[in-house]
Amino acid sequence: MNHTLTVCPYCGTGCMFYLVSDGGQLVGVEPSVTHPISRGGLCVKGWNAFAFVHHPDRLTTPLIRRGGELRPASWDEALGLVVDRLREIQERHGADSIMFASSAKATNEENYLLMKLARGAFGTNNIDHCARLCHSSTVVGLAETFGSGAMTNSIDCIDRAEAILVIGSNTTEQHPLIGSRILKAARSGARLIVADNRRIRLARHADLHLRHRNGSDVAFLNGMMQVIIAEGLEDREFIESRCDNYPALAAAVAHWTPERAAAVTGLEPGEIVAAARLFAKAKTAMIVYSMGITQHSHGVDNVRCCAALAMLTGNLGRPGTGVNPLRGQNNVQGGCDMGALPDVFSGYQKVADPAVREKFADAWGVDGLPEQPGLPLTRAMDAAAEGQLKGMFILGENPILSDPDQGHARRALESLDFLAVQDIFLTETAQLADVVLPAACFAEKEGTFTNTERRVQRVRKAVEPPGKARADWEIICALAERAGYGGMRYPDPSAVMDEIASLTPIYGGIGYDRLDPHGLQWPCPDRSHPGTPILHVGRFTRDSGRFSPAPYRPPAELPDGDYPFVLTTGRTYFHWHTGTMTRRTHLLDREERCSFVEINPDDAARLGIRERDRVLVTSRRGEVQARARVTEMVVPGVVFMPFHFTEGAANALTNNVLDPESAIPEFKVCAVRVRRAP
């Protein structure tokens, strides 16, 4: 038996475990007992992370569409066709007529290389990845207020918090090991506030469970801040010495009395007062949030309010405090760090800065780099649907299931002149492609992932990829060669990381020789730096923290007579993202086999719906069938669906309205009607 230490491929917690292999086959997983997060434990997905690797559905050879069918082809044919078609489109329609979609499932090195390929070889800033769908609001909101769009503290800071506000995060299901830490802290005496109108598991252990209306977070948080200021509970010394624009915040929240906030949120005024006092009076208080905060048409405003609440109470730059967004995918933090975004190079260095462009152009050996920011992924899909974008290269993502308004996503991809997909399975998106490139999965390659607390960790190869599949980094470099660009020849991924470190100040001290056993947290500016567990100690990244007041704006689509329910979407404990891996894992698939919709018993009784009935859920964009779960998990008037399932796809219903600043879709609120299926 061989044991290979690597990083879990699922959520952003970043647990490390040993892949156990025998004779070139994975046979199991053993958690790392010394890892600071895993500490000898794993969630059910982690324990089963080996099970999809040898699935018979794995892609083993390149595929090219001929006569309407995807047929096996050689690597030479497939790579040549991808480059020739993308070049042809650019020559006909311009450099920005193509789009590169990178992946939070790929390594840091692979995200960096695809960013380099797009900008250095194809001359476009049209590069983005699925952070656009989950935490682009965080990047914009926290960069504006703190100067850095990342989790401020470390996961082990949970152990030192006196009060924890969990808002918009079903932590025990989406980030189970972090959820366990929160439960342990609560059992040890920390006061827990859960703001979520679903009765999630954490709510059972909370001192306060606040079931406010979907999309009313700004009103709730402004109400809390009004109480804190009115009762003199703000941290005046912290505000005066470390923050600016406080008068604007105080003026903006002054009219958000508990009564007014209660009218918008549906809470009792006393609940808002109690939450404000509990949070503000704690010596150490932290905020934990996830996509319940970010995935709104006002997601950036939600983040601004979280940042303001932490600054108002002086809860930054110390253990047990902070604003802590939990990243959804294993390497979505790294994908952002590596510049798989349309407006920045690696390390959030702006493409609009001439000095930055010159630095990268010199290092990459190209004459120049494009200066105009490219298209966010969501706007690229709109451009494709309108015929303005002609070609797309998608690495390891499945927008047919993950994007809002599935009909719109399908129309967008079908409107392209050329689509190439690089993945490990023939996903719903890959089935539409002109060329499919077979990739290695996490267990079959080397590299690094960066977890939600900014910890860069080693990913290690345990077994060979199936058939002719190759590591993503090898495929990207081969595409560069076919494109006539010789600046992407590397002996291995460690050499790519060395180049990243040379160009990216926050990764300046990162190298493979320094990542054993459990990685380093950025910023790590040089080889002698020990890493940074807590940001903004003594000063903010942007010098002073900035209060950015946020006005309340309701969701874009509210219930009415035709569509009387609010639909909100999310994940389940047993599945992950679009289910490409977990639905090919026998144990996980057995536990959760089909799409369902949670509906409150009062609503179900009124509609004549019983447990496990087949129901039709309809929005202005589509209709799907799902099994009814009659439960008090949801409040009357609200239904919940997971988005993992191609049959009963929740995103056939969701609304493709975007936050104007981050371009994130409003996955968490749309209007639907529900009835029994005939």
Side-chain angles (χ1 to χ4, degrees):
M1 295 281 189
N2 295 315
H3 292 69
T4 305
L5 182 64
T6 192
V7 185
C8 182
Y10 289 119
C11 77
T13 303
C15 296
M16 291 193 82
F17 53 55
Y18 292 90
L19 284 169
V20 184
S21 59
D22 187 15
Q25 296 287 302
L26 296 180
V27 296
V29 160
E30 292 181 4
S32 166
V33 296
T34 59
H35 189 258
I37 304 166
S38 311
R39 298 195 299 191
L42 290 173
C43 73
V44 68
K45 290 192 284 288
W47 278 110
N48 288 277
F50 71 100
F52 71 85
V53 173
H54 303 304
H55 195 281
D57 288 350
R58 285 291 303 276
L59 291 168
T60 58
T61 188
L63 303 172
I64 292 177
R65 188 171 298 281
R66 295 188 174 106
E69 301 288 332
L70 285 169
R71 301 181 186 280
S74 69
W75 272 108
D76 191 54
E77 289 176 293
L79 294 170
L81 185 57
V82 170
V83 171
D84 289 348
R85 292 290 286 126
L86 292 178
R87 286 284 196 221
E88 180 184 313
I89 289 169
Q90 285 189 304
E91 287 169 6
R92 187 177 304 168
H93 301 286
D96 292 334
S97 60
I98 64 172
M99 178 79 196
F100 291 85
S102 197
S103 175
K105 296 193 247 332
T107 64
N108 287 322
E109 293 78 2
E110 290 158 349
N111 275 285
Y112 174 84
L113 289 175
L114 193 65
M115 179 271 288
K116 183 176 178 179
L117 180 77
R119 291 178 164 132
F122 284 90
T124 179
N125 282 322
N126 283 348
I127 170 81
D128 202 357
H129 73 296
C130 59
R132 187 63 50 196
L133 305 180
C134 59
H135 271 288
S136 53
S137 310
T138 292
V139 175
V140 174
L142 293 189
E144 175 185 286
T145 51
F146 299 160
S148 174
M151 183 169 171
T152 64
N153 285 53
S154 297
I155 293 167
D156 64 8
C157 280
I158 293 169
D159 304 341
R160 301 178 66 177
E162 283 192 5
I164 304 171
L165 168 60
V166 179
I167 183 167
S169 167
N170 187 0
T171 322
T172 57
E173 294 206 25
Q174 317 313 324
H175 302 86
L177 272 289
I178 298 176
S180 298
R181 286 286 186 93
I182 294 172
L183 288 174
K184 183 181 177 185
R187 286 195 295 270
S188 300
R191 308 294 299 279
L192 178 59
I193 307 167
V194 174
D196 189 324
N197 71 26
R198 289 181 77 216
R199 187 168 288 163
I200 59 176
R201 186 179 172 211
L202 280 181
R204 302 177 210 159
H205 305 269
D207 296 275
L208 288 173
H209 179 204
L210 307 172
R211 307 184 82 174
H212 60 305
R213 294 188 179 112
N214 300 69
S216 66
D217 304 278
V218 165
F220 166 62
L221 293 165
N222 279 344
M224 281 184 68
M225 289 190 280
Q226 191 275 343
V227 173
I228 289 167
I229 294 171
E231 297 190 0
L233 298 175
E234 74 273 25
D235 187 333
R236 297 295 305 186
E237 192 279 330
F238 185 91
I239 294 166
E240 290 170 3
S241 65
R242 299 200 49 192
C243 305
D244 60 37
N245 208 34
Y246 173 69
L249 176 85
V253 304
H255 63 288
W256 280 102
T257 63
E259 291 74 20
R260 183 181 179 215
V264 175
T265 61
L267 298 171
E268 294 294 328
E271 293 180 296
I272 297 169
V273 173
R277 290 173 179 168
L278 194 159
F279 189 86
K281 289 181 179 179
K283 293 178 182 174
T284 54
M286 67 160 47
I287 300 169
V288 174
Y289 74 79
S290 194
M291 285 169 274
I293 281 289
T294 58
Q295 289 180 333
H296 291 276
S297 57
H298 47 267
V300 175
D301 284 342
N302 286 349
V303 173
R304 288 182 174 119
C305 288
C306 290
L309 177 61
M311 288 189 287
L312 185 67
T313 53
N315 279 301
L316 284 158
R318 295 181 289 127
T321 67
V323 178
N324 299 293
L326 303 182
R327 297 293 190 141
Q329 296 203 46
N330 53 320
N331 198 36
V332 72
Q333 181 65 59
C336 294
D337 298 345
M338 292 301 105
L341 295 169
D343 58 341
V344 292
F345 295 99
S346 56
Y348 307 96
Q349 300 170 89
K350 293 188 179 301
V351 299
D353 186 329
V356 170
R357 287 200 309 277
E358 183 178 354
K359 179 178 78 168
F360 277 88
D362 288 346
W364 292 352
V366 296
D367 292 336
L369 291 165
E371 62 182 88
Q372 293 298 323
L375 285 171
L377 190 54
T378 43
R379 299 201 191 285
M381 295 294 279
D382 291 343
E386 294 164 2
Q388 297 169 8
L389 191 83
K390 301 294 185 180
M392 191 175 291
F393 182 93
I394 298 176
L395 167 63
E397 293 298 338
N398 189 15
I400 285 288
L401 279 190
S402 61
D403 274 30
D405 188 355
Q406 186 180 59
H408 171 74
R410 181 174 291 277
R411 286 193 298 277
L413 296 180
E414 289 179 343
S415 297
L416 295 168
D417 290 350
F418 179 75
L419 172 64
V421 174
Q422 183 168 311
D423 214 317
I424 64 174
F425 292 111
L426 192 66
T427 64
E428 290 79 3
T429 301
Q431 291 170 28
L432 300 178
D434 298 290
V435 177
V436 179
L437 304 178
C441 76
F442 83 105
E444 300 157 349
K445 61 186 179 183
E446 302 283 333
T448 57
F449 291 153
T450 302
N451 78 347
T452 191
E453 60 173 359
R454 301 169 280 103
R455 185 183 299 273
V456 185
Q457 304 183 111
R458 282 292 312 277
V459 177
R460 292 181 174 86
K461 181 177 181 178
V463 292
E464 294 295 329
K468 298 176 183 176
R470 298 178 181 177
D472 291 299
W473 72 271
E474 294 176 304
I475 301 171
I476 297 166
C477 291
L479 286 169
E481 286 291 331
R482 293 300 295 246
Y485 176 54
M488 290 173 63
R489 294 167 184 160
Y490 304 93
D492 53 49
S494 71
V496 183
M497 179 54 76
D498 291 342
E499 180 175 310
I500 294 167
S502 72
L503 291 168
T504 312
I506 60 174
Y507 275 65
I510 303 289
Y512 279 21
D513 59 317
R514 297 193 68 205
L515 295 182
D516 286 329
H518 302 132
L520 287 167
Q521 289 172 274
W522 68 257
C524 181
D526 59 59
R527 297 280 300 177
S528 63
H529 196 282
T532 308
I534 301 175
L535 297 178
H536 316 308
V537 176
R539 61 183 288 273
F540 285 93
T541 304
R542 67 180 302 278
D543 293 329
S544 294
R546 181 169 181 79
F547 286 104
S548 293
Y552 168 70
R553 289 180 288 129
E557 185 178 73
L558 292 170
D560 56 22
D562 294 329
Y563 299 93
F565 287 93
V566 168
L567 169 69
T568 188
T569 64
R571 298 174 178 169
T572 73
Y573 180 60
F574 295 101
H575 286 297
W576 189 70
H577 212 49
T578 62
T580 52
M581 299 187 293
T582 54
R583 296 196 74 190
R584 290 181 171 89
T585 299
H586 172 71
L587 189 147
L588 302 177
D589 188 50
R590 184 191 69 191
E591 294 296 321
E592 201 91 83
R593 304 212 68 161
C594 62
S595 182
F596 62 86
V597 54
E598 293 177 351
I599 185 168
N600 184 271
D602 292 344
D603 293 326
R606 182 168 47 80
L607 297 172
I609 293 171
R610 295 174 299 182
E611 179 74 10
R612 295 188 58 76
D613 274 354
R614 300 292 301 179
V615 298
L616 293 172
V617 187
T618 310
S619 76
R620 290 181 174 84
R621 293 154 292 280
E623 180 175 85
V624 298
Q625 275 199 28
R627 293 278 185 193
R629 283 190 183 175
V630 181
T631 173
E632 292 186 349
M633 279 279 287
V634 291
V635 297
V638 175
V639 295
F640 167 84
M641 291 183 72
F643 72 98
H644 311 299
F645 302 94
T646 186
E647 66 284 6
N651 281 325
L653 308 170
T654 47
N655 193 5
N656 187 36
V657 64
L658 307 179
D659 179 293
E661 296 172 273
S662 67
I664 200 169
E666 189 154 68
F667 286 108
K668 296 305 183 190
V669 181
C670 73
V672 298
R673 60 173 175 256
V674 183
R675 60 191 170 95
R676 285 185 66 183

